[in-house]
């Protein structure tokens, strides 16, 4: 899959998208992540991409023209499944959405900044608006990095063990069961005997019971 991230601060996320799982995905040829500096698409001699809002509102607004020019250039090269805008008033990003987007071929993520973007871009170009939580960040770069990481790790072959992602938190709307490693007894803190039994059926039943217990206790909203 390919993800194109449009931002006014590419250096803010450049290191992140080229490390760890995302870097592994790129090296395996399973994903491409390209950063585009929106200022490269400005006609202003100072490379400005924002201006004052009509109506006397506070803050600055990202202009239509640079965004339209950048996205049009990308769309001229390939088809995109979604053109996403990171916005605090978008639909809430969650694991099912990450699963869905991981099945797509090409995505554009436009990082919001300043007070936001000219609403005409949202009306005519953006196909999906996504939020990573009910709070406001300085820009959408962190949100884009979070989404890219959550999406790409689900692409088959990216993780060493594809089954690992299937037992993550929020798959099937459940929190993950507790996990342990060696030693089996540390300072008297012992690993549950069932996990040492080698009985796969009983271990699976324990895992489901624990996931249900933790979810009902910590995140009952997931079971509604």
């Amino acid at each position: 899959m390919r993800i194109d991230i449009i931002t006014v601060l590419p250096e803010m996320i450049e290191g992140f998208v080229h490390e760890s799982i995302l870097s592994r995905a790129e090296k395996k040829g399973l994903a491409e992540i390209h950063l585009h500096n929106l200022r490269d698409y400005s006609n202003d001699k100072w490379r400005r991409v924002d201006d004052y809002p009509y109506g006397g509102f506070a803050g600055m607004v990202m202009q239509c023209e640079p965004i339209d020019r950048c996205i049009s250039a990308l769309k001229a090269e390939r088809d995109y499944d979604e053109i996403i805008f990171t916005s605090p008033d978008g639909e809430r990003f969650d694991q099912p959405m990450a699963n869905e987007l991981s099945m797509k071929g090409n995505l554009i993520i436009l990082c919001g900044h300043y007070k936001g973007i000219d609403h005409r871009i949202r009306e005519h170009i953006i196909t999906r608006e996504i939020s990573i939580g009910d709070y406001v960040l300085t820009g959408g770069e962190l949100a884009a990095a979070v989404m890219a990481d959550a999406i790409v790790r689900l692409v088959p072959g990216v993780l060493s063990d594809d089954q690992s992602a299937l037992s993550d938190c929020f798959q099937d709307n459940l929190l993950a069961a507790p996990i342990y490693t060696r030693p089996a007894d540390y300072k008297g803190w012992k690993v549950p005997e069932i996990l040492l039994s080698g009985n796969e059926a009983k271990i699976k039943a324990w895992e489901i019971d624990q996931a249900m217990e933790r979810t009902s206790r910590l995140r009952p909203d997931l079971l509604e």
Side-chain angles (χ1 to χ4, degrees):
M1 76 176 311
R2 175 182 171 121
I3 301 177
D4 290 272
I5 300 176
I6 303 171
T7 168
V8 297
L9 292 172
E11 61 276 8
M12 184 175 179
I13 53 174
E14 189 169 14
F16 180 88
V17 300
H18 296 306
E19 295 290 341
S20 189
I21 294 298
L22 297 179
S23 175
R24 183 188 304 174
E26 289 192 297
K27 289 176 181 176
K28 288 184 175 181
L30 298 173
E32 298 178 40
I33 300 178
H34 298 269
L35 303 180
H36 305 274
N37 191 335
L38 186 61
R39 298 185 189 281
D40 293 339
Y41 296 86
S42 172
N43 284 331
D44 182 82
K45 67 178 181 179
W46 306 112
R47 304 179 76 212
R48 287 182 55 186
V49 296
D50 62 306
D51 209 332
Y52 294 101
Y54 285 121
F57 298 107
M60 302 293 284
V61 180
M62 295 172 69
Q63 298 170 305
C64 283
E65 190 174 8
I67 297 172
D68 182 31
R69 189 178 293 117
C70 180
I71 293 176
S72 295
L74 291 172
K75 289 174 67 177
E77 296 177 357
R78 66 193 60 81
D79 293 327
Y80 285 90
D81 300 289
E82 297 280 7
I83 302 174
I84 297 167
F85 173 52
T86 59
S87 172
D89 56 4
E91 56 183 314
R92 182 79 67 87
F93 186 71
D94 57 16
Q95 193 64 40
M97 190 186 298
N99 293 338
E100 174 198 345
L101 293 175
S102 72
M103 303 298 292
K104 306 294 186 182
N106 300 310
L107 303 173
I108 291 175
I109 302 178
L110 171 62
C111 300
H113 235 280
Y114 310 111
K115 189 65 176 179
I117 62 174
D118 190 302
H119 198 73
R120 289 169 289 185
I121 294 294
R122 301 173 77 164
E123 291 178 311
H124 299 287
I125 296 179
I126 299 302
T127 65
R128 196 162 191 174
E129 301 182 13
I130 299 177
S131 167
I132 62 168
D134 294 342
Y135 45 85
V136 177
L137 298 170
T138 302
E141 287 75 18
L142 292 176
V146 165
M147 287 191 289
D149 185 274
I151 292 167
V152 170
R153 70 188 305 276
L154 295 170
V155 174
V158 170
L159 298 180
S160 300
D161 179 2
D162 287 336
Q163 293 300 309
S164 175
L166 299 180
S167 61
D168 284 343
C169 278
F170 307 114
Q171 296 289 10
D172 298 323
N173 279 347
L174 293 175
L175 300 184
I179 54 175
Y180 303 85
T181 189
R182 294 177 176 83
D185 186 338
Y186 176 70
K187 296 170 62 174
W189 307 339
K190 297 181 179 180
V191 172
E193 287 294 330
I194 185 67
L195 299 180
L196 308 177
S197 69
N199 189 316
E200 293 185 9
K202 288 186 177 181
I203 291 173
K204 185 61 179 178
W206 177 89
E207 180 184 17
I208 294 172
D209 288 344
Q210 290 293 312
M212 287 293 297
E213 188 280 326
R214 294 190 73 241
T215 305
S216 62
R217 176 166 49 87
L218 300 173
R219 288 294 304 275
D221 57 295
L222 294 175
L223 298 176
E224 294 176 358

